[in-house]
Amino acid sequence: MIGIPRNRPVTDATAMHPAPLRLLPHAVPCLLLALLAPLSTAHAQSAERIWGTVYTKDGERHEGFLRFGGQGSGDGHAANWSDLLIGRENIREEPFRVWIDSARGGGPFLRTVELKGYRISWNELNDDVVRYVRFAIPFGSIQEIIVHDAASRQPGSLVFRVRIEAVLRPLNEGSGDGTGDREGRWLMGESAAYWVGRTIEVEDGQGGRERLGGPHVARIEFAAAPPGPTTSSERLYGTIEDASGRRFTGRVTWDEWKLSPSDRLHGWTDRSSPRRLVFDSIQSVDRLPPDSLDESEPGLRVTLVTGEVVDLPDPSRPNSASITVLDPGLGRVSVSSRSFRSLRFHDPSEGPDGGATGPSVSNEAGYDSLGNGTYLQGTVVTRAGEEYEGRIRWGTPKTTTWDHLRGYSDGVGMYVRFARIRRVELLEFPFGEPVRTGGTEFEQGRVRVTLLDGRAYEMSGHEDLGELGVGILVLPTGQGDDAGWRRVALADLREVRFDHTITSGVRQPDPQGRQ
């Protein structure tokens, strides 16, 4: 993958054309490397880009590099295998049953009401577990996406009757619990609505492009890009620093949908003067000094590669943004305009401080290396000192290394990939004020998450880290019966240590040597 070159003056008029790569010092070996760089980086970037075949409801077939987008499509924007498909679904019957068995030994919940002096009781399985959960899946872990129903318009409203299924790739240990059943995630409600408003750009690798509307798509099959085709579109890359001084480096998406150097940053120099800047012309974006604007809606100071500085102080909507970074050692972070300090665009070969980058913490850039995760394994320790070692479910649905732990850290939203977590320690439960959602209040917890690369963050939340997460489930090693799952409530948890000697997330060859 190549980043955004920063070696020449660029004006708004010329910024739509790609800049040449920065030349290395004038030594012959370095010059030869510079001449060869476009070819090698183009192939590397193509391997990281989503490739698939889109089948429409009209029977058409479109194959190539895919970009999911369309302004207003929320979390649906993606171009690389490590981008996330984010949605909501009902908890499936199998994990719900595991929770029931582990929490109450399979016994029903007795519900009782009194009415005019009479007491009425009945058994109910679906009691205090939330049936709607949020998930995040890297596109590289998806085998296909199937649209099962269509959406229809009615006067004055849009009625959705669409059901979207993301079929997951088999895990290294096999699919499901050895039954061979297909496992998928169902997009429902707002997630399905985003799909209807989405566009899919197909680049055939030969320079041709087509745009397809989400409502016209019947199915998408994903695969690694074949040898030969290369993508002509780059991806924004850089380092963001938040208000706490923490830095995150990786692929950048601005305002949830702008992810290419040809996209534009919109802002206002004053209330009557809009300004549109092509990202390819931008060197860095900083938060305006505090004395120059209303802190409730911070403005931006944009430094162009020409050296020109453009202030966008107007506190209107164009300056508000959420910047997401796919940090390979962590997962995905989302920094609001109120929580960020600066963003510097640079080539992936440069580190956050401008020097050469160190060894990559992840080789999971392509479809073949990222897609096949493993079950979560590790040790769960309670506050009472009990230890359970074996397979782990975080809540009911999160069972694999490509699942994500969701929470917030000093105003930054985080999806931390379990494959990158070494340890989770409970610091406080409950923490802060209860969060009210869906007419119900839920307690939230606070944890410290330590990553494999040594970084550690305190996180809080009410879903994965609170009552909505229903606790940690562990199937002790050697316990082959799924009825042996044990539940540890979050309030009773001390820590979880993940064993990455088992859950490496890298697909191993079978005995015949095949991948």
Side-chain angles (χ1 to χ4, degrees):
M1 184 183 69
I2 53 178
I4 305 174
R6 304 293 170 202
N7 65 311
R8 65 175 178 89
V10 180
T11 64
D12 287 356
T14 63
M16 296 185 67
H17 301 285
L21 289 173
R22 177 186 293 134
L23 292 178
L24 296 173
H26 298 289
V28 173
C30 294
L31 181 58
L32 290 175
L33 288 175
L35 293 174
L36 293 173
L39 180 61
S40 60
T41 55
H43 284 292
Q45 174 176 297
S46 298
E48 297 177 2
R49 286 290 306 277
I50 299 172
W51 178 277
T53 303
V54 181
Y55 298 89
T56 70
K57 296 172 184 176
D58 297 331
E60 297 179 352
R61 180 181 182 276
H62 306 268
E63 184 177 12
F65 296 104
L66 306 182
R67 171 173 171 172
F68 297 82
Q71 187 172 3
S73 294
D75 288 316
H77 293 268
N80 289 59
W81 291 121
S82 52
D83 280 312
L84 302 182
L85 174 65
I86 298 177
R88 298 189 74 87
E89 69 166 349
N90 285 320
I91 293 180
R92 288 162 285 122
E93 189 61 32
E94 185 267 338
F96 176 66
R97 172 56 61 181
V98 167
W99 183 87
I100 291 292
D101 290 343
S102 61
R104 296 199 305 271
F109 176 76
L110 183 65
R111 189 176 293 278
T112 302
V113 298
E114 292 188 4
L115 180 64
K116 296 182 179 181
Y118 293 94
R119 177 173 295 177
I120 304 172
S121 301
W122 69 95
N123 293 332
E124 183 177 281
L125 281 178
N126 185 7
D127 56 324
D128 51 356
V129 64
V130 177
R131 296 302 296 263
Y132 303 100
V133 296
R134 182 182 293 268
F135 64 83
I137 308 172
F139 273 85
S141 296
I142 301 175
Q143 181 172 308
E144 62 178 328
I145 290 177
I146 304 172
V147 182
H148 288 268
D149 293 310
S152 62
R153 288 188 178 272
Q154 292 183 355
S157 66
L158 182 60
V159 178
F160 297 102
R161 290 196 284 266
V162 61
R163 297 187 303 130
I164 310 296
E165 181 186 13
V167 180
L168 307 184
R169 299 176 66 183
L171 296 175
N172 287 351
E173 295 91 341
S175 177
D177 292 318
T179 63
D181 292 338
R182 184 178 67 184
E183 183 179 355
R185 295 287 187 269
W186 291 88
L187 278 71
M188 54 170 288
E190 192 177 64
S191 304
Y194 283 150
W195 180 270
V196 174
R198 181 173 300 159
T199 59
I200 304 172
E201 182 180 270
V202 184
E203 179 187 356
D204 61 13
Q206 308 297 325
R209 296 175 185 269
E210 296 182 85
R211 292 175 66 86
L212 307 173
H216 304 296
V217 173
R219 188 172 88 258
I220 304 175
E221 295 178 351
F222 297 98
T230 57
T231 179
S232 60
S233 59
E234 301 175 8
R235 181 70 186 269
L236 293 172
Y237 191 96
T239 297
I240 191 169
E241 182 176 340
D242 70 2
S244 301
R246 302 175 301 182
R247 294 181 178 181
F248 307 96
T249 300
R251 301 181 189 91
V252 176
T253 303
W254 182 278
D255 204 15
E256 300 291 349
W257 67 278
K258 301 174 182 180
L259 47 78
S260 170
S262 61
D263 290 327
R264 293 172 179 265
L265 186 154
H266 293 199
W268 298 75
T269 55
D270 55 53
R271 294 189 180 275
S272 60
S273 303
R275 187 75 184 266
R276 298 180 179 181
L277 302 169
V278 181
F279 277 99
D280 192 38
S281 70
I282 298 174
Q283 179 73 48
S284 62
V285 182
D286 294 89
R287 183 189 181 101
L288 273 173
D291 58 354
S292 63
L293 71 157
D294 179 1
E295 276 289 285
S296 64
E297 189 67 40
L300 306 175
R301 172 162 290 169
V302 182
T303 302
L304 305 182
V305 296
T306 61
E308 178 187 358
V309 175
V310 180
D311 285 351
L312 305 175
D314 191 273
S316 57
R317 176 64 184 91
N319 283 352
S320 300
S322 176
I323 306 102
T324 62
V325 177
L326 293 173
D327 184 319
L330 185 153
R332 180 180 120 149
V333 298
S334 181
V335 184
S336 70
S337 57
R338 294 182 179 89
S339 300
F340 105 106
R341 180 177 294 170
S342 65
L343 170 62
R344 183 179 71 88
F345 294 109
H346 58 85
D347 191 271
S349 62
E350 296 181 16
D353 297 316
T357 185
S360 174
V361 299
S362 172
N363 63 350
E364 299 182 355
Y367 188 70
D368 290 334
S369 56
L370 187 146
N372 291 76
T374 63
Y375 288 120
L376 294 177
Q377 298 277 348
T379 303
V380 178
V381 184
T382 71
R383 294 175 62 184
E386 300 170 305
E387 294 193 8
Y388 303 102
E389 181 180 355
R391 272 188 55 190
I392 293 173
R393 287 179 181 266
W394 195 285
T396 48
K398 302 192 175 183
T399 64
T400 65
T401 53
W402 48 253
D403 275 311
H404 292 73
L405 183 69
R406 181 172 180 254
Y408 299 89
S409 178
D410 288 340
V412 173
M414 290 187 173
Y415 282 91
V416 185
R417 192 173 174 213
F418 280 104
R420 298 291 174 255
I421 300 177
R422 182 185 305 278
R423 183 183 186 190
V424 179
E425 305 165 80
L426 181 69
L427 301 178
E428 189 176 0
F429 188 90
F431 168 73
E433 295 295 326
V435 174
R436 188 172 183 84
T437 177
T440 305
E441 286 189 345
F442 296 96
E443 301 284 2
Q444 56 181 336
R446 183 169 66 94
V447 302
R448 178 183 292 110
V449 178
T450 302
L451 305 180
L452 292 176
D453 62 15
R455 289 181 291 174
Y457 302 97
E458 290 189 9
M459 296 172 57
S460 63
H462 67 283
E463 292 190 9
D464 293 344
L465 304 175
E467 286 185 311
L468 279 176
V470 307
I472 313 300
L473 302 173
V474 57
L475 182 66
T477 301
Q479 178 69 59
D481 186 356
D482 279 353
W485 286 95
R486 301 191 182 188
R487 175 177 178 260
V488 177
L490 195 62
D492 298 327
L493 180 69
R494 176 182 294 174
E495 66 175 350
V496 179
R497 301 190 299 266
F498 291 98
D499 186 348
H500 292 283
T501 62
I502 301 173
T503 57
S504 65
V506 178
R507 189 175 185 180
Q508 301 297 326
D510 62 20
Q512 284 72 43
R514 297 187 299 267
Q515 286 294 121

